[in-house]
Amino acid sequence: MSIDSLRRSARETVSGLPPGFWWLWLSTLVNRTGAFVLTFLSLYLTVELGHSAWFAGLVVALHGLGGVAGSPLGGALTDRWGRRPTMVTMHLAAAACAAALAVVTSAWAIAAVVLLMGVAMQAVRPSINATISDMVPAHDVRRAYALNYWALNLGFAIASIGGGAAAFLGYRTLFVVDAVATTLCAVIVFLRLPETRPEGRTDTAGEPVAEEKVGMLTVLRDAPFRTLVLLNLLVCLVFTAPWIGLPLTMAEQGLSPSSYGVVIAVNGIVIVGFQLLVNKLTDKRSPVVLLTLSALLFALGTGATALAGSPVAFAATVVVWTVGEMIHVPTNAAATARLAPEHARGRYQGVMGMSWAVAGFVAPIGAGAIVGGPGPDVLWAATTAIGVLAAAGYAVLLRKALAEETEAPVAGPVKAEGAEASAVSA
């Protein structure tokens, strides 16, 4: 492929999206560029404050537990308050928590702040996903989610590098920088992003039509969507397991922590370097095919970990499941947007986000217990089986539901309230 064709492909990937999306994209990049708390929290607790590794693991798990509550909360607020108020409020709450971590030293206070931070950080995600679904034409929604996910990982890569270089300033300084970046993200949303919550429907006489009330139980009674959530939970369990199981497996083989650092860095490098290319190759493909393929790649990549014996081999397994991640995340978000009623997009995204949070809480505990008990080979056999089960579920249980949604008439973006957002260069 020539340089000109690569440039043309890149232009096609980023073209045609509304200006408001790029302000949201920029806010994601800024937010993640300063995401130092989770990256360095365990080191801060053990090295700086002298807490045990057990306590550090518990605190990180509390962050995930907060997300289990935060995701449905954010979904409900997104539909009731609106997208922009929810984003601004939750970003500011997360910033306050990051700033508090630079001050508090009590073990219980740290645990409480991290729990609240998990609530706030997860609560903002349904509003982001709903905003993308609101403002982007239906046929471009998956591409928009992929671009936003790319910004998230690009920002995280910058944070990892910058955090390592700035560590000599102290962990508390990094937490303050995190708070400032998150506050700047809230300012960008407040000043540049229009409210996109759809206006209520009206009848032919112009009178408002009462929308069907949608609660969390109503969402869970939606059979196709419930199936999508449960299958996503399976995939998330597989995706989360390597973050705990991989370093333990490599350690059992006598490989150093620095080797693990290099291997896991491959995940971010591949996403930052190839997300746009993967998006181009998978654009307009069937969501069922893409979700099935991603689940199989997760199964293959994690299963092959049991056969790896060198850093190069472990890195190769990371490449395989990372490609699955790049396909799965935007496709799953777009499928959620397709299945959600217009006036309940926040709640649907909130329930879907809860599946990610549950996996983030359960998988690390389960992976650690399995590696410490039956052994790592059992863990990777289990992830392979779960990934294949999820792939079969997508292919069999959702083929009709997602095909019907894909063939539905394409709706244009909902008109935003207030002035249109100004253009920002992509």
Side-chain angles (χ1 to χ4, degrees):
M1 183 177 286
S2 67
I3 298 298
D4 287 341
S5 61
L6 285 173
R7 288 175 178 171
R8 185 166 56 252
S9 177
R11 282 196 300 270
E12 291 173 355
T13 300
V14 302
S15 65
L17 296 173
F21 168 79
W22 292 110
W23 285 113
L24 183 63
W25 184 92
L26 179 62
S27 72
T28 298
L29 180 63
V30 169
N31 188 19
R32 296 299 292 182
T33 299
F36 295 119
V37 168
L38 287 182
T39 307
F40 296 96
L41 181 60
S42 59
L43 290 174
Y44 171 66
L45 293 172
T46 54
V47 176
E48 180 89 0
L49 300 183
H51 292 292
S52 66
W54 175 87
F55 178 75
L58 174 64
V59 171
V60 173
L62 285 175
H63 187 278
L65 184 62
V68 174
S71 192
L73 171 65
L77 293 177
T78 294
D79 289 335
R80 289 184 181 180
W81 281 6
R83 283 55 163 147
R84 189 172 65 165
T86 302
M87 272 188 266
V88 171
T89 301
M90 293 305 164
H91 279 316
L92 292 178
C97 290
L101 284 175
V103 179
V104 299
T105 55
S106 163
W108 288 108
I110 291 172
V113 170
V114 171
L115 177 66
L116 293 174
M117 193 173 191
V119 173
M121 289 181 66
Q122 192 66 34
V124 78
R125 293 180 181 177
S127 58
I128 293 173
N129 286 341
T131 298
I132 293 174
S133 180
D134 292 340
M135 68 169 51
V136 175
H139 60 279
D140 281 331
V141 163
R142 200 189 70 83
R143 176 163 64 100
Y145 283 127
L147 286 168
N148 200 63
Y149 190 64
W150 180 60
L152 187 150
N153 282 279
L154 178 59
F156 183 76
I158 296 172
S160 299
I161 297 171
F168 69 93
L169 296 174
Y171 295 106
R172 289 184 174 88
T173 301
L174 296 182
F175 297 162
V176 171
V177 173
D178 191 326
V180 172
T182 308
T183 301
L184 179 57
C185 172
V187 171
I188 292 172
V189 171
F190 181 75
L191 294 179
R192 308 306 304 177
L193 195 68
E195 175 56 58
T196 64
R197 184 175 58 173
E199 298 177 1
R201 292 184 300 168
T202 58
D203 57 23
T204 54
E207 296 296 324
V209 176
E211 300 279 8
E212 178 186 358
K213 291 188 179 297
V214 177
M216 290 302 168
L217 292 179
T218 309
V219 175
L220 293 174
R221 283 196 291 267
D222 184 334
F225 179 68
R226 184 175 65 241
T227 301
L228 184 68
V229 171
L230 292 175
L231 292 175
N232 184 67
L233 175 60
L234 294 180
V235 171
C236 291
L237 291 172
V238 178
F239 168 61
T240 308
W243 298 93
I244 300 297
L246 182 57
L248 297 177
T249 300
M250 294 180 67
E252 278 205 356
Q253 297 193 15
L255 297 173
S256 66
S258 61
S259 296
Y260 167 71
V262 172
V263 167
I264 202 61
V266 170
N267 173 258
I269 292 170
V270 171
I271 293 175
V272 172
F274 297 99
Q275 178 72 68
L276 299 185
L277 176 60
V278 169
N279 185 61
K280 178 66 177 177
L281 295 175
T282 57
D283 196 25
K284 312 304 182 187
R285 305 291 181 181
S286 162
V288 172
V289 171
L290 293 178
L291 290 170
T292 302
L293 174 61
S294 67
L296 290 175
L297 287 170
F298 276 119
L300 177 62
T302 58
T305 307
L307 306 176
S310 68
V312 173
F314 282 114
T317 67
V318 173
V319 170
V320 174
W321 59 256
T322 296
V323 175
E325 177 188 354
M326 290 190 288
I327 296 172
H328 178 84
V329 172
T331 305
N332 182 73
T336 301
R338 290 279 189 177
L339 293 175
E342 194 175 71
H343 65 287
R345 283 172 175 159
R347 287 180 173 85
Y348 272 67
Q349 293 288 355
V351 171
M352 180 57 71
M354 190 164 58
S355 67
W356 288 91
V358 169
F361 178 70
V362 172
I365 297 173
I370 293 174
V371 172
D377 287 351
V378 175
L379 173 65
W380 305 124
T383 59
T384 302
I386 294 171
V388 171
L389 178 63
Y394 285 125
V396 174
L397 301 177
L398 288 177
R399 181 164 53 91
K400 182 179 179 181
L402 291 183
E404 288 175 350
E405 291 296 330
T406 303
E407 293 164 6
V410 175
V414 177
K415 184 177 180 181
E417 297 175 7
E420 294 181 358
S422 300
V424 62
S425 57

